[in-house]
């Protein structure tokens, strides 16, 4: 009998398309020192630094580091990338004759960099400070007149991503935990993505392993460069998953809840992931086996819930500010223009899953579609 050499692999080697990863990545401690040479390699010499108002000091530090290469700083990035903010940043970039942008921060700042790049064609460099993964994706979410639209546009992919572990040392443990779970969710959904390939499955499993070992350590020793490096490495791999394959029910629900109720992004991911994995488990056996292989536990959903508990992550949507009467509205939105999902989802199944997540109950797989 032939041995089953692919039994440990999520995706057997068969026919597949792997699109590749277009961004150049520089990883390590102190790597921000290399921004000038990365700019030179892009043929750029006039960078506009972008940050949120809370990261003005970091933006100034980088401007000082870059000297004459930094022509200005725009420090008004906010969550959900409002078009009005982007237009101010674009006007500022044009007035300064910037020839590239450097986004320093989490998903909110990186979103602004992508939105500026879309309108100006300027190349982007990114110094990520959270684990959300936007730097590795062609995804841009923008808000205008209270409506958020999300698009996949190859031209918004950053050209150079500089992961400097030092910049993550200040990420508070509570934000590190939920941001890390946000990253974990990208890897988990990549394991059962419709368009997964052997490389993305490899990345996803390694991401779960790195995040699984590093995040509890980060909670204990947030200023330990070694554990921060492992967490950031996992986040990078998870970001590549998000940027390469399509996401499913979990990301759809988080998108709906963020848009309809303005729930905090990373915390919403943290609450929902065990519930969605429990629901999808009957249709994603290899994916759930990969998760338990890495995280342990009796089943994938329980392993994820226990892991999130260990990190002190929130358990219930109601604790994030979601009104109970919003559950029905959210269920409607989840099944409208649904993402592909390994298990079919109808409105009632979505409503039951949301009810359990709203109340912080244990995840269950026996919710019928
Ligand atoms: P964020 O950028 O809003 O940052 C979260 C908080 O952490 C902020 O208060 C910020 O000031 C603080 N912070 C960030 N880095 C820090 C550090 N190193 N030290 C101290 N404080 C720090 O949040 P996020 O979770 O990174 O990003 C969420 C946003 O990004 C959402 O709008 C989401 O939709 C978007 N996003 C987009 C993609 C994509 O592919 N387009 C992927 C993931 C997230």
């Amino acid at each position: 009998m032939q041995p089953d050499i692919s039994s440990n692999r999520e995706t057997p080697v068969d026919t597949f398309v792997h699109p590749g990863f277009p961004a150049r990545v520089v990883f390590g401690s102190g790597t921000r020192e290399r921004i000038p040479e990365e700019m030179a390699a892009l043929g750029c010499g006039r960078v506009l630094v972008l940050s949120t108002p809370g990261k003005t000091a970091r933006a100034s530090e980088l401007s000082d580091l870059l000297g004459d290469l930094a022509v200005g700083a725009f420090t008004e990035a906010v969550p959900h990338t409002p078009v009005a903010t982007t237009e101010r940043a674009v006007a500022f970039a044009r007035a300064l004759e910037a020839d590239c942008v450097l986004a320093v921060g989490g998903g909110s700042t990186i979103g602004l960099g992508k939105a500026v790049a879309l309108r100006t064609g300027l190349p982007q460099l990114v110094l990520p400070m959270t684990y959300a993964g936007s730097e590795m994706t062609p995804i841009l979410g923008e808000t205008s007149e209270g409506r958020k639209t999300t698009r996949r546009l190859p031209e918004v992919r950053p050209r150079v991503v500089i992961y400097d572990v030092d910049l993550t040392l200040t990420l508070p443990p509570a934000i590190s935990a939920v941001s890390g779970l946000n990253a974990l969710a990208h890897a988990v959904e990549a394991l059962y993505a419709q368009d997964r390939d052997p490389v993305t499955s490899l990345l996803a499993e390694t991401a779960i392993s790195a995040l699984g070992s590093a995040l509890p350590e980060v909670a204990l020793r947030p200023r330990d460069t070694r554990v921060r490096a492992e967490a950031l490495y996992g986040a990078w791999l998870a970001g590549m998953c998000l940027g390469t394959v399509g996401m499913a029910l979990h990301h759809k629900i988080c998108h709906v809840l963020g848009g309809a109720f303005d729930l905090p992004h990373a915390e919403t991911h943290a609450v929902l992931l065990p519930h969605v994995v429990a629901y999808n488990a009957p249709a994603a056996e290899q994916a759930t086996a990969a998760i338990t292989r890495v995280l342990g536990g009796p089943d994938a959903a329980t392993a994820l819930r226990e892991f999130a508990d260990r990190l002190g992550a929130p358990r219930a949507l109601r604790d994030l500010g979601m009104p109970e009467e919003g559950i029905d509205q959210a269920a409607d939105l989840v099944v409208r223009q649904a993402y592909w999902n390994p298990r079919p989802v109808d409105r009632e199944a979505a409503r039951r899953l949301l009810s359990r997540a709203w109340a912080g109950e244990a995840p269950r797989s026996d919710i019928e579609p």
Side-chain angles (χ1 to χ4, degrees):
M1 201 175 90
Q2 290 284 326
D4 180 6
I5 57 167
S6 67
S7 60
N8 260 353
R9 212 182 280 129
E10 165 58 15
T11 309
V13 177
D14 199 343
T15 306
F16 63 84
V17 173
H18 177 69
F21 307 113
R24 176 175 163 85
V25 171
V26 180
F27 190 100
S29 176
T31 46
R32 61 192 179 287
E33 303 280 344
R34 289 173 51 178
I35 299 168
E37 63 193 89
E38 294 300 331
M39 280 177 61
L42 289 173
C44 296
R46 297 177 61 83
V47 67
L48 173 63
V49 179
L50 306 174
S51 80
T52 57
K55 294 286 161 290
T56 307
R58 185 61 84 181
S60 308
E61 182 219 302
L62 283 158
S63 299
D64 292 347
L65 174 80
L66 294 171
D68 291 345
L69 292 175
V71 291
F74 182 87
T75 58
E76 297 171 34
V78 286
H80 308 302
T81 326
V83 169
T85 308
T86 301
E87 284 168 354
R88 285 201 304 282
V90 166
F92 195 48
R94 288 197 172 123
L96 295 170
E97 296 181 15
D99 59 12
C100 63
V101 293
L102 172 68
V104 186
S108 300
T109 308
I110 299 167
L112 174 63
K114 289 175 168 179
V116 170
L118 180 66
R119 288 161 178 84
T120 59
L122 293 179
Q124 305 160 69
L125 299 94
V126 179
L127 269 172
M129 290 178 67
T130 70
Y131 304 134
S134 176
E135 65 279 2
M136 295 310 298
T137 82
I139 304 167
L140 172 62
E142 295 187 285
T143 324
S144 181
E145 290 164 7
R147 270 194 67 228
K148 186 164 181 174
T149 48
T150 300
R151 292 176 287 170
R152 282 184 100 93
L153 302 162
E155 60 270 35
V156 305
R157 274 190 191 269
R159 294 277 296 278
V160 181
V161 179
I162 299 171
Y163 287 105
D164 189 333
V165 177
D166 300 354
L167 265 57
T168 64
L169 300 180
T170 52
L171 190 63
I175 302 181
S176 301
V178 289
S179 189
L181 290 166
N182 184 186
L184 196 68
H186 309 329
V188 165
E189 290 231 293
L191 283 175
Y192 53 63
Q194 191 178 26
D195 53 350
R196 68 188 183 275
D197 65 62
V199 178
T200 56
S201 296
L202 208 65
L203 293 173
E205 209 170 312
T206 311
I208 296 170
S209 171
L211 293 164
S213 63
L215 293 178
E217 297 291 316
V218 164
L220 298 174
R221 296 191 303 280
R223 299 198 68 90
D224 183 322
T225 308
R226 196 187 50 81
V227 296
R228 284 293 192 176
E230 185 73 5
L232 194 58
Y233 175 64
W236 167 46
L237 300 180
M240 282 201 281
C241 291
L242 178 68
T244 309
V245 296
M247 294 287 119
L249 178 63
H250 173 80
H251 283 73
K252 174 71 188 185
I253 297 179
C254 292
H255 187 78
V256 161
L257 297 182
F261 307 105
D262 205 20
L263 298 193
H265 179 81
E267 288 82 351
T268 307
H269 276 270
V271 170
L272 274 158
L273 187 60
H275 292 278
V276 176
V277 168
Y279 180 77
N280 280 339
E285 282 176 25
Q286 285 179 314
T288 51
I291 295 165
T292 47
R293 197 158 56 237
V294 177
L295 292 183
D299 60 80
T302 307
L304 288 165
R305 172 71 165 236
E306 286 174 355
F307 184 66
D309 283 353
R310 204 171 143 208
L311 299 180
R315 270 186 163 200
L317 294 175
R318 68 173 163 203
D319 296 339
L320 306 184
M322 180 172 170
E324 187 170 13
E325 53 283 8
I327 293 172
D328 280 307
Q329 183 196 345
D332 285 338
L333 293 170
V334 166
V335 293
R336 193 179 302 162
Q337 293 178 332
Y339 297 178
W340 178 88
N341 191 58
R343 191 178 177 196
V345 190
D346 64 16
R347 187 189 178 284
E348 186 51 24
R351 200 189 62 75
R352 289 211 200 113
L353 189 159
L354 283 161
S355 299
R356 297 189 72 80
W358 181 83
E361 292 168 11
R364 288 215 351 220
S365 63
D366 58 356
I367 297 170
E368 289 304 323

